[in-house]
Amino acid sequence: MLDVIRLGFSEDLPGGDQHDEFGLPPGPVEYHAAWDVQRQVHADVVAGRRPNSLILLEHQSVFTAGKLTSENERPRDGAPVVDIDRGGKITWHGPQQLVGYPIVTLPAPIDVVGFVRALEQALIGVAAAFSLETAPVEGRSGVWVVREGEEDRKLAAIGMRVSKRTTMHGFALNCANDLSWAENVIPCGIDDAGVTSLSAELGRRVPVAEVIDVAEAAMTDLVAERTSARSR
């Protein structure tokens, strides 16, 4: 079972969301407020008070830096950055980017790399549902648009942490968000590739509201597979 929590978005979703349940205002969620919810849900999953969970949301505009971020990769204009306890480097979150935090207890022996690779494949499947071909890139996490003769472009970023056998943080899938943020940092510490979105690649606006059901279904299948007896 996967408990899906839809937390806050810039446009109304069919069926609404659960911001009231967590004492949040409507709309994209301020990063620290979402982090508090994530840690609360993580503690509940670890303690067995809540089943494996997936938080889906949009953030208010924010840069976050993982533990491997170098000083020269931070915003050139001095914009504030939230330093957090996930892996990876610096990235941005904001309206019309779908962020997912799978909070999932992994079976022993724990295979964090396998979970991340499975998450990449799930997001590749989401892009394929919109007729966009994407791929992993060896040595680089996330999901990429890779075409001969063109610069590689990152569609989705992934940064995970595992605490008490249970995952935290997750993925950010660019849907219809602004991409100019990447000009202010070295996104994910990669200076020889670009960033992109479903909207940029498909030549039409693809909002989070159009993507969220597909992403939720893909994540539900992923969690069922990675927590089943077959993955032990």
Side-chain angles (χ1 to χ4, degrees):
M1 176 183 176
L2 183 66
D3 182 23
V4 180
I5 302 166
R6 296 186 175 194
L7 208 52
F9 301 89
S10 56
E11 297 176 355
D12 291 339
L13 299 180
D17 61 51
Q18 295 165 257
H19 67 273
D20 281 340
E21 179 182 335
F22 291 90
L24 299 173
V29 185
E30 190 273 329
Y31 190 83
H32 289 92
W35 199 358
D36 286 344
V37 171
Q38 186 182 175
R39 286 182 289 197
Q40 173 189 333
V41 172
H42 183 273
D44 287 345
V45 171
V46 169
R49 295 187 295 266
R50 183 187 287 270
N52 289 326
S53 299
L54 170 66
I55 301 172
L56 294 172
L57 55 83
E58 294 173 32
H59 279 299
Q60 297 175 12
S61 183
V62 64
F63 287 104
T64 69
K67 293 179 289 186
L68 299 178
T69 303
S70 301
E71 284 303 314
N72 70 308
E73 295 164 350
R74 292 172 179 266
R76 298 179 180 93
D77 65 357
V81 176
V82 178
D83 289 282
I84 55 176
D85 58 353
R86 61 163 169 80
K89 297 198 174 190
I90 196 163
T91 193
W92 173 91
H93 301 305
Q96 286 303 320
Q97 178 193 70
L98 178 60
V99 172
Y101 297 132
I103 302 176
V104 177
T105 299
L106 300 178
I110 295 175
D111 183 5
V112 179
V113 172
F115 188 88
V116 171
R117 296 294 168 258
L119 180 52
E120 288 174 345
Q121 290 302 315
L123 294 172
I124 287 169
V126 172
F130 292 88
S131 300
L132 177 62
E133 183 178 351
T134 56
V137 171
E138 186 175 356
R140 294 177 170 177
S141 68
V143 173
W144 298 78
V145 175
V146 179
R147 297 191 184 122
E148 188 174 354
E150 298 180 6
E151 179 184 61
D152 292 351
R153 300 181 294 279
K154 194 170 197 175
L155 178 69
I158 296 173
M160 302 292 300
R161 178 186 177 219
V162 176
S163 174
K164 299 180 181 178
R165 285 184 48 201
T166 303
T167 61
M168 297 184 73
H169 303 293
F171 69 87
L173 174 62
N174 295 328
C175 296
N177 51 284
D178 177 31
L179 297 175
S180 64
W181 64 269
E183 300 171 5
N184 194 26
V185 296
I186 300 178
C188 303
I190 297 170
D191 59 6
D192 61 349
V195 296
T196 192
S197 66
L198 289 170
S199 296
E201 295 299 324
L202 298 176
R204 66 175 181 87
R205 187 172 186 270
V206 185
V208 164
E210 187 176 341
V211 179
I212 191 168
D213 287 345
V214 179
E216 179 179 320
M219 289 303 303
T220 300
D221 289 345
L222 162 67
V223 171
E225 174 65 25
R226 297 302 302 181
T227 58
S228 71
R230 293 189 303 276
S231 66
R232 294 177 185 271

